[in-house]
Amino acid sequence: MATLDGKPVSADDLLSLALTNVGHFTSMRVDTDGSIRGLTLHMERLVRDCETVWNAALDTDRVRDYVRQAMEGQTLPCVVRVSIYDPKVEMGHPADANEPHILVSVRGAGALPPAPLRAQSLVYERDLPQVKHVGLFGALHARGAAQRAGFDDALFVGRDGFVSEGGTWNVAFVDQEGTVVWPNAPVLPGVTMALLQQQAEHRTATVTLDQARGMAAAFATNTSIGVRPLAAIDDTEFPVDHPVLRQLQEAYLSIPGETL
């Protein structure tokens, strides 16, 4: 059951989200002890994106209250998604909508980390990449194209030739010296990415597709998957048991969660 401002959501409440598709969200993994890694960063994202999308402030105390309410009786671990949208938004006058509401939904979470990922490189750039918005058509279309080609997901390459991010995940690489390399490109500033950057030596650099294929290892990150090894990019295979990947997985799992 999803809730809107703490009450069961109706089909009418969701019409604008389905038909107009304007809004933003964050997804948070709730572990078996009820804590959330990077909870503060998730709240900061919602506030920042609410200002960008709706030109409005967001009360994160209300967000926490609604998430706590939605968590009652849920089986852990799980993933909570908080979506911020205005049910009154109209396609012809989106600027008139500035009273965002809080939609909370819950789904089950898998074990960490999931199986390694095989990615196909595709030329694609997300709209407003710094915002975790609900406009997922392009990203999911690319994911579908990659899956129809026999891969698990798509790895985006910009029109400038530089690798950026995955369908719904950040990507990073391990260079031949063992340093983690994050692409310097327009990407979503991921919470898991930010947490990992606090845990291990890393650098940021532009990465071409050829440079990516020459790395020692590669991995994807988001709140649902933690640190997920990439087994391949196109026809280039990567080791999924590289020691730096194991270190990152252990470091991520060691990060203490925050309570609601």
Side-chain angles (χ1 to χ4, degrees):
M1 173 68 72
T3 60
L4 184 64
D5 295 337
K7 300 177 182 178
V9 66
S10 69
D12 286 344
D13 292 329
L14 295 175
L15 274 179
S16 66
L17 191 59
L19 300 178
T20 309
N21 201 32
V22 177
H24 63 94
F25 71 100
T26 197
S27 293
M28 306 177 287
R29 181 186 174 97
V30 185
D31 283 324
T32 53
D33 63 355
S35 68
I36 299 171
R37 291 183 189 86
L39 176 61
T40 297
L41 296 178
H42 282 288
M43 294 299 109
E44 291 174 354
R45 165 190 282 165
L46 289 175
V47 170
R48 181 177 62 247
D49 290 355
C50 193
E51 177 64 31
T52 300
V53 175
W54 302 110
N55 193 30
L58 181 68
D59 184 347
T60 56
D61 288 336
R62 289 180 62 219
V63 173
R64 289 171 180 255
D65 287 342
Y66 295 150
V67 171
R68 277 193 292 265
Q69 177 182 326
M71 287 299 304
E72 293 178 4
Q74 296 288 342
T75 300
L76 302 179
C78 66
V79 175
V80 175
R81 171 168 164 159
V82 179
S83 302
I84 310 298
Y85 77 106
D86 189 340
K88 298 190 300 296
V89 67
E90 295 181 359
M91 190 174 297
H93 302 278
D96 292 344
N98 61 0
E99 297 181 8
H101 295 246
I102 302 166
L103 176 70
V104 180
S105 56
V106 183
R107 61 178 171 85
L112 292 179
L117 186 69
R118 300 180 67 85
Q120 181 185 36
S121 62
L122 294 171
V123 176
Y124 180 69
E125 299 170 359
R126 291 192 311 110
D127 293 329
L128 208 64
Q130 72 272 22
V131 171
K132 192 174 180 69
H133 55 74
V134 300
L136 296 175
F137 174 82
L140 296 185
H141 179 73
R143 173 175 286 170
Q147 291 175 348
R148 287 187 288 273
F151 295 85
D152 300 309
D153 210 337
L155 176 68
F156 301 152
V157 180
R159 287 168 290 183
D160 56 8
F162 295 121
V163 173
S164 56
E165 57 191 344
T168 51
W169 37 272
N170 290 111
V171 68
F173 305 93
V174 181
D175 67 17
Q176 297 298 334
E177 287 71 45
T179 301
V180 176
V181 182
W182 299 92
N184 182 11
V187 301
L188 179 74
V191 169
T192 304
M193 177 178 73
L195 293 173
L196 288 170
Q197 288 176 343
Q198 299 170 6
Q199 302 297 312
E201 181 181 352
H202 68 275
R203 63 185 176 92
T204 302
T206 54
V207 179
T208 66
L209 194 54
D210 283 343
Q211 289 172 327
R213 292 168 176 155
M215 295 290 184
F219 61 96
T221 71
N222 71 23
T223 190
S224 300
I225 63 178
V227 178
R228 184 178 188 180
L230 262 65
I233 296 175
D234 300 326
D235 58 359
T236 300
E237 304 282 335
F238 293 98
V240 299
D241 58 352
H242 192 284
V244 172
L245 298 186
R246 293 198 299 271
Q247 293 167 10
L248 289 169
Q249 289 169 342
E250 293 170 0
Y252 179 67
L253 292 176
S254 72
I255 297 172
E258 303 173 55
T259 58
L260 285 165

